[in-house]
Amino acid sequence: MALTVSQYNSIMRQYEERQTRNRHLREERLRHIYNTIDGYQAIDESVASVSVTQGKKMLAGDSAALGQLKEKLHALSADRIRLLVENGYPENFLQPVFDCPDCKDTGYVQGQKCHCFRQAEIALLYEQSNLKQVLEKENFNTLSYAFFEGDSLTSYRKAVEKCKNFAGNFKTSYQNLFFYGTVGTGKTFLTNCIAKECIEQGCSVIYFSAANLFDLLSRNAYNFKNQEEMSSLCGNLYSCDLLVIDDLGTETASAFTLSHFFTCLNERLLRKKSIIISTNLSLEDCRNRYQDRIFSRITSNFEFCKLTGPDIRISKRLV
């Protein structure tokens, strides 16, 4: 799991808050029982005194003391349960309270992350990806071939299969994808399908439209006060498991932002961190628009996926 230290600490703070909340809940229940059921508090006090008495006997060498302690504690426990049930409470009313009984709100079971910890990771990764709401609607389960036919349908089916393989092998096979083709042919939808699958596997995904990414790089670059934010942004761009850059070609580019874009691509390629890029530009337009060193990195390190056909967005409106 690719969590930063701050992200990990954020999840662990949630566990600490649960533990504190549930400990207070049990304390409130115990006070309520003490005030409601006659004799219950006295039993609890007897547990402490019996434990001390038998402990002294064990230290003095009494071999029967441990067995006697177990018998007395068992009897006192039975008395407590009897009092709870007789007064209309469930017998486990004063048991420790946990949101997750499996890990007892620690996040770990036998040294391994609990299922609840992994769900917290996935929820955090969704928030980080900038795609949480989008991926509820755009994923492989909602994918449709209804608006394709002929060669376009054949091409789209091949693209879908390529995307499923990319997502299915993401943790074991390093790949980069470059989607290009005409407007509205499902490029963004397919990148979202991959993003959802990767997040569900516990991988960190960051999505940016090219326009937003270049704007963010430009705004932070010349502001000294934003250098810490810029450093954090670059750290995330370089290290997340999957970076999605959508609609390349729609951004306002300058020599400076193109230099940062190249650095981002190069750093991720060196670290073998996957990238997905989509664009409505042709490959020739990409060559003409971007520096040779950027286009060279793309052609040398990405698998290309061309999508053609009708504009799905328009087709949906006409239905």
Side-chain angles (χ1 to χ4, degrees), residues 195-254:
K196 179 175 175 62
E197 293 298 309
C198 291
I199 291 174
E200 291 293 336
Q201 294 175 45
C203 301
S204 56
V205 178
I206 293 181
Y207 166 94
F208 274 108
S209 68
N212 286 342
L213 176 59
F214 277 59
D215 179 60
L216 196 59
L217 291 172
S218 178
R219 281 190 287 109
N220 287 330
Y222 299 106
N223 190 334
F224 177 78
K225 294 181 179 179
N226 287 351
Q227 289 307 299
E228 185 176 344
E229 183 177 343
M230 183 69 168
S231 177
S232 176
L233 169 64
C234 290
N236 288 333
L237 291 176
Y238 299 162
S239 63
C240 67
D241 295 322
L242 174 62
L243 174 64
V244 178
I245 302 174
D246 195 24
D247 275 341
L248 189 68
T250 60
E251 73 284 345
T252 301
S254 65

Side-chain angles (χ1 to χ4, degrees), residues 1-62:
M1 175 64 65
L3 290 179
T4 64
V5 172
S6 63
Q7 289 171 332
Y8 177 85
N9 289 339
S10 175
I11 292 177
M12 293 310 296
R13 280 195 297 273
Q14 294 176 26
Y15 280 104
E16 291 171 3
E17 290 169 1
R18 291 180 193 176
Q19 292 169 13
T20 300
R21 168 170 46 81
N22 289 332
R23 184 172 62 252
H24 288 164
L25 175 58
R26 185 183 181 279
E27 290 170 354
E28 289 174 5
R29 289 182 176 181
L30 184 59
R31 283 194 296 270
H32 171 74
I33 292 300
Y34 281 174
N35 294 328
T36 304
I37 301 178
D38 291 337
Y40 197 95
Q41 185 171 358
I43 293 177
D44 274 0
E45 292 170 353
S46 295
V47 169
S49 62
V50 166
S51 298
V52 171
T53 300
Q54 295 304 118
K56 290 179 179 179
K57 290 181 179 181
M58 282 187 281
L59 290 175
D62 187 342

Side-chain angles (χ1 to χ4, degrees), residues 155-156 159 162-163 177-188 190-191 245-248 276-287 295 298-299 302-309:
S155 175
Y156 193 66
K162 185 176 294 186
C163 291
L177 281 178
F178 189 91
F179 291 98
Y180 71 105
T182 51
V183 175
T185 49
K187 298 183 293 296
T188 298
L190 289 180
T191 63
I245 302 174
D246 195 24
D247 275 341
L248 189 68
I276 296 178
I277 297 176
S278 73
T279 182
N280 294 325
L281 300 175
S282 67
L283 293 183
E284 186 63 28
D285 288 337
C286 286
R287 182 192 300 274
F295 191 72
I298 292 173
T299 55
F302 284 71
E303 184 174 356
F304 287 84
C305 187
K306 184 177 182 180
L307 293 173
T308 58

